[in-house]
Amino acid sequence: SRGEADGRLFVETVGEACTKRGWQVQAFCLMPRHFHRVVETPPANLGAGMRWFLGACTNRFNRRHQLFGHLFFSSTTEDA
């Protein structure tokens, strides 16, 4: 189904973010409108990694469904 395919794409993108950024996901929960994730970031790159991850998810979802615009709004903060 459409939802299952979108969920697989999300999980694949999580895996790609982990590989690219050196993250270790301890847990995540994907819901219809948002997600929660517990991730360890041995390199201190949460902000840059989340920008990449959210952008990749948005681009892939929009391309798949011929849409445009935001999917998620980030509430993460990064200490300088």
Side-chain angles (χ1 to χ4, degrees), residues 2 6-7 9-14 16-17 30 33-35 37 49-74:
R2 176 179 173 166
D6 291 338
L9 184 61
F10 179 88
V11 171
E12 289 170 8
T13 307
V14 168
E16 191 175 343
L30 176 60
R33 302 250 179 240
H34 69 285
F35 66 93
R37 178 166 58 173
M50 285 302 293
R51 279 188 295 278
W52 180 88
F53 174 74
L54 295 172
C57 282
T58 299
N59 290 335
R60 293 168 184 185
F61 182 91
N62 285 344
R63 191 176 319 120
R64 177 176 162 75
H65 297 289
Q66 299 179 345
L67 299 170
F68 62 94
H70 296 282
L71 293 183
F72 304 109
F73 292 94
S74 177

Side-chain angles (χ1 to χ4, degrees), residues 19-60:
T19 299
K20 287 179 176 293
R21 301 295 178 171
W23 291 355
Q24 299 168 5
V25 173
Q26 302 302 319
F28 75 91
C29 180
L30 176 60
M31 291 166 273
R33 302 250 179 240
H34 69 285
F35 66 93
H36 297 274
R37 178 166 58 173
V38 177
V39 62
E40 289 184 48
T41 59
N45 61 6
L46 181 62
M50 285 302 293
R51 279 188 295 278
W52 180 88
F53 174 74
L54 295 172
C57 282
T58 299
N59 290 335
R60 293 168 184 185

